[in-house]
Amino acid sequence: MAVTTKGVLIVEGHELTITNPTKPLWPEQGITKADYILKLTELAPYLLKYCKDRHLTTIRYPHGYNDKSFYQKNAPEPLPEFVKLAPLKGINYVNLDCVPTLIWLANLACLEFHPSFHHVGSSLPAEWVIDMDPTLEDEPRIMEAAVIIGEILDSLRIESIAKTSGATGVQIYVPIQPGYTFEQLRRIGHFVASYAVKRHPHLFTIERFKKNRGSLIYLDYLQHWYGKTLSAPYTPRATPYASVSTPLQWNEVEARPHPREFNLHTIMGRLQQKGDLIAQVPPQNLDMILAKL
């Protein structure tokens, strides 16, 4: 990536105009649009890995994380020639497959990246994810809850990894061998979630309506479905801390960290030290548990 004149970048041979580079996107963190673009460029090898060849929804914050926002599903116009599309059900999603496309989206103040659970052209899931959604705005038990779900999966001989959503929740992420269907994974998800609710009724719920959950943590095994999306590993989030959705080692989860500890200021040092923790989990064979169910 090279700078030619003020506000213009050459990225992989493509010229991109950066508008309002000094605009604060996370004012409390001192992160301007120019800072954000630089940080995203460093993060790109990790973020693109989980967004490439998927149907991408972004959340745009034209005036920074603490102002008005909107979801962007259809690719915004005008469309640069290097941007590839991923059509699905009448929507022209962006295929976030290269750094120029990432920087183009960053210039549009896309602060969050939410890819589909499946690749373009496939009806099968690329991984399995259980979303843990706190009802409370600040949930001190969320890491404890993640440990419990991890232990249940471990008892089923399913290796998993927890990642912060970057906001208030935690997602349990399971790399899988190819060939399983969304229906099969939902069946396992329902079993795991129901068992957790039975064992810990004062902590978990599978009640879909938030108004009926009280203070319980919602085990959302239903979100994992064809055409739906979730925050990507390593996506930034629109929080005061410029937090980043970050995979954690289980001993880190047991230490009960706060999601704000993992942010745009700290993520690259962490990745240089630990690497992509998701990639270190082998694809799981779920045949045994499916046979039992």
Side-chain angles (χ1 to χ4, degrees):
M1 182 172 68
V3 181
T4 55
T5 59
K6 185 178 180 182
V8 177
L9 297 177
I10 303 297
V11 185
E12 297 180 1
H14 301 287
E15 183 176 294
L16 290 92
T17 300
I18 306 303
T19 56
N20 303 313
T22 60
K23 176 178 284 186
L25 294 182
W26 285 272
E28 297 93 334
Q29 300 301 322
I31 298 176
T32 64
K33 185 190 282 187
D35 298 325
Y36 177 50
I37 288 172
L38 179 60
K39 290 177 183 295
L40 269 192
T41 303
E42 296 175 334
L43 198 55
Y46 303 93
L47 179 60
L48 264 59
K49 179 179 179 180
Y50 297 99
C51 293
K52 182 179 180 180
D53 297 330
R54 304 204 190 202
H55 307 275
L56 182 74
T57 296
T58 61
I59 309 181
R60 293 175 60 179
Y61 292 79
H63 305 292
Y65 88 91
N66 54 353
D67 209 307
K68 293 179 181 178
S69 66
F70 61 94
Y71 282 79
Q72 182 95 57
K73 291 182 178 287
N74 270 301
E77 300 286 349
L79 203 65
E81 50 87 17
F82 55 80
V83 175
K84 295 177 184 175
L85 297 179
L88 182 68
K89 297 180 179 178
I91 297 174
N92 281 323
Y93 292 93
V94 169
N95 179 354
L96 178 48
D97 67 340
C98 64
V99 176
T101 298
L102 179 62
I103 302 308
W104 171 68
L105 290 171
N107 182 58
L108 296 174
C110 297
L111 302 191
E112 300 192 7
F113 301 89
H114 297 246
S116 61
F117 292 109
H118 55 91
H119 290 115
V120 175
S122 174
S123 61
L124 299 178
E127 65 279 307
W128 178 35
V129 183
I130 298 177
D131 188 23
M132 303 173 61
D133 186 13
T135 305
L136 301 176
E137 194 162 323
D138 191 12
E139 175 55 86
R141 305 169 296 172
I142 189 65
M143 293 297 171
E144 172 194 351
V147 168
I148 290 171
I149 300 302
E151 289 174 344
I152 293 173
L153 291 174
D154 192 55
S155 72
L156 299 172
R157 298 184 181 179
I158 299 172
E159 190 174 346
S160 65
I161 195 159
K163 79 174 183 76
T164 66
S165 70
T168 57
V170 169
Q171 285 125 23
I172 308 299
Y173 201 101
V174 182
I176 56 172
Q177 294 181 0
Y180 297 110
T181 66
F182 281 103
E183 290 86 351
Q184 288 175 315
L185 298 182
R186 181 171 283 189
R187 201 183 316 153
I188 307 174
H190 179 261
F191 172 77
V192 170
S194 299
Y195 179 77
V197 169
K198 184 176 179 179
R199 289 291 302 273
H200 304 274
H202 302 297
L203 183 61
F204 294 117
T205 183
I206 53 174
E207 169 58 54
R208 295 185 68 182
F209 294 103
K210 193 169 184 176
K211 63 184 179 66
N212 297 331
R213 294 180 200 160
S215 61
L216 300 175
I217 295 170
Y218 177 44
L219 292 175
D220 189 358
Y221 64 91
L222 297 171
Q223 180 64 20
H224 187 264
W225 199 250
Y226 182 79
K228 293 191 175 185
T229 65
L230 199 68
S231 57
Y234 310 112
T235 178
R237 299 301 300 267
T239 70
Y241 318 106
S243 50
V244 171
S245 180
T246 304
L248 306 177
Q249 295 169 324
W250 282 112
N251 63 341
E252 293 180 297
V253 181
E254 290 165 359
R256 311 290 194 265
H258 195 284
R260 64 171 169 254
E261 297 174 33
F262 312 100
N263 54 63
L264 282 173
H265 291 306
T266 63
I267 186 63
M268 284 314 301
R270 175 182 175 83
L271 284 168
Q272 288 161 7
Q273 180 187 30
K274 298 181 182 293
D276 177 13
L277 295 178
I278 293 175
Q280 297 167 31
V281 178
Q284 299 295 292
N285 185 311
L286 306 176
D287 291 352
M288 186 177 295
I289 180 64
L290 283 168
K292 290 182 177 178
L293 290 179

